[in-house]
Amino acid sequence: MLPARVREVAVLTTGARHGAAYELYSHSRVAAAVGLPDDVVADLVAGRRPAGLSRQEAVAYDVAAGLHDGGPLPATLYRAAVGAFGETGMVELVFLIAQYAGISLLAGVGGPTFWYVAGQHERPGRRGRVRSRGDTIRRFHHWRRCVDPRRARPFGSDPVTGTKRTRADSMRWLAEGTTIFFDALATMPDERLDGPSALDGWSGRHLLAHVAANADALANLASWARTGEERPMYASREQRDADIEAGAKLPAAELRAWAVRASGALAARLAELDEQQWSREVRTSRGQAIPASEVPWMRAREFMVHAVDLDAGVTFDDLPAGFLAALVDDISASRSGAGGPTLTLTATDHDGTWTIGGSDTPTVAGSGAPVEVTGTLAGLAAYLSGRRAHGVTGSDGGPAPQLPGWL
């Protein structure tokens, strides 16, 4: 595995080339946590080649910069990289750069120096403590809401005002979800993938194989929308499960590369669609007819929820509030009439001027008298999706009712 400092040099070099605001904000803090000096981090974020890099760090910078400049790497640089990292390490470095280039293309907004400076007052290690990745993500979203008035009101489907979730919302959450998921994955050594995930019955390998296979499946829907020729997500449920099992047995480097490659291919297929094709009807794996414009939402949902399932420090509290609102609305609608209990959901927290509560509280229609379920927005999203939910209570403060499986 590449040294942590080498990885961060490559990631920040890539982020700077694409102006990826969140990637630079997040990884400037990670870089400081693993020991890169402040002046080196500042140069990398500004797109400059720092002085004082170690031999391996300098090679990583040159490889990342060379790949982003286009064309084949010079033979001398390739030999230097193999000499520094070995053949396997060189492959890992190239896939790392490709992974974060894909993330940057989706998530890169704004000026990199601006976001870097904004995080200076919370750089890790100032008081001898390295903040967790969850802390970083949570503080980042809080900071953005404070400085950006557009984020005072979460986006998405609002059960109170009836605001409809838009494709632009879904594309933004897809970009954020891509970053959150792959950042969490990058903290997990290969042996962690061998252990159980937070999703019952699945190891980290199964979860990553599922995320990769889902990108391939959604790319089928994007192709269907573009060409008009039917391409189902999966040949069958059995084939889907078999593909996940087979993927879970791949070498870790191949499995990680599949997830990156498939996610990038899906992003490319979505970028090809025009307005007419976005509105073309396709079908989910459950046979539900949807417009192709729902595909980015499906992928954003996949990334966000499974970032939590990786059990690498991301929680529902770390996910964007607007996404959580849309997720609660989405699951509430899908659970209505599904045979579970009848629920009335009330969120105890507010974000800006947006709330879930009052006389228009969304109801999950099922059987029996309505049960009042109360919790934070993040807690309700976790509860409805069948994940561990802290602080969610039913009537009279007792446990919330058990729900059937979701998806």
Side-chain angles (χ1 to χ4, degrees), residues 124-317:
R126 295 287 188 186
R127 299 179 182 176
R129 172 177 175 265
V130 177
R131 299 188 188 278
S132 71
R133 188 167 297 270
D135 290 338
T136 299
I137 295 170
R138 182 162 47 252
R139 288 171 180 270
F140 168 73
H141 287 299
H142 171 74
W143 179 80
R144 287 192 78 176
R145 286 194 294 269
C146 289
V147 303
D148 187 346
R150 295 173 300 171
R151 296 207 170 237
R153 179 190 300 275
F155 299 92
S157 181
D158 186 334
V160 177
T161 65
T163 303
K164 183 175 176 58
R165 168 171 49 81
T166 67
R167 189 174 82 231
D169 297 331
S170 298
M171 293 297 287
R172 183 178 62 256
W173 293 326
L174 172 55
E176 290 179 297
T178 302
T179 300
I180 290 169
F181 181 86
F182 281 114
D183 272 5
L185 180 64
T187 70
M188 300 178 67
D190 292 344
E191 55 268 24
R192 277 284 308 279
L193 293 175
D194 296 332
S197 71
L199 204 56
D200 288 343
W202 269 6
S203 68
R205 286 175 165 276
H206 287 91
L207 183 61
L208 186 54
H210 165 66
V211 169
N214 173 265
D216 288 338
L218 292 176
N220 286 343
L221 296 189
S223 178
W224 181 351
R226 184 174 60 84
T227 65
E229 298 176 6
E230 181 173 347
R231 292 194 65 180
M233 289 181 65
Y234 305 101
S236 66
R237 180 78 181 189
E238 293 73 22
Q239 186 60 54
R240 167 192 175 273
D241 294 343
D243 288 344
I244 292 172
E245 283 295 332
K249 296 175 183 176
L250 290 171
E254 290 185 29
L255 181 55
R256 291 175 186 266
W258 178 24
V260 172
R261 183 175 64 251
S263 298
L266 172 59
R269 297 291 81 74
L270 293 176
E272 294 171 348
L273 300 183
D274 60 27
E275 286 304 317
Q276 182 178 1
Q277 292 162 349
W278 277 118
S279 63
R280 179 166 281 153
E281 187 175 280
V282 296
R283 284 194 305 276
T284 68
S285 59
R286 297 191 169 207
Q288 180 185 4
I290 59 168
S293 57
E294 282 295 285
V295 171
W297 163 251
M298 295 169 66
R299 187 59 176 170
R301 189 177 63 189
E302 197 81 11
F303 268 139
M304 296 282 197
V305 174
H306 288 322
V308 177
D309 293 333
L310 281 174
D311 204 17
V314 178
T315 72
F316 278 87
D317 287 313

Side-chain angles (χ1 to χ4, degrees), residues 36 43 73 80 126 174 183 215 227 303 329 345 350 355 377:
L36 282 174
D43 280 341
L73 288 178
R126 295 287 188 186
L174 172 55
D183 272 5
T227 65
F303 268 139
D329 195 49
L345 309 171
H350 295 233
T355 62
L377 183 59

Side-chain angles (χ1 to χ4, degrees), residues 28-39:
S28 65
R29 301 168 62 139
V30 178
V34 299
L36 282 174
D38 285 355
D39 58 339

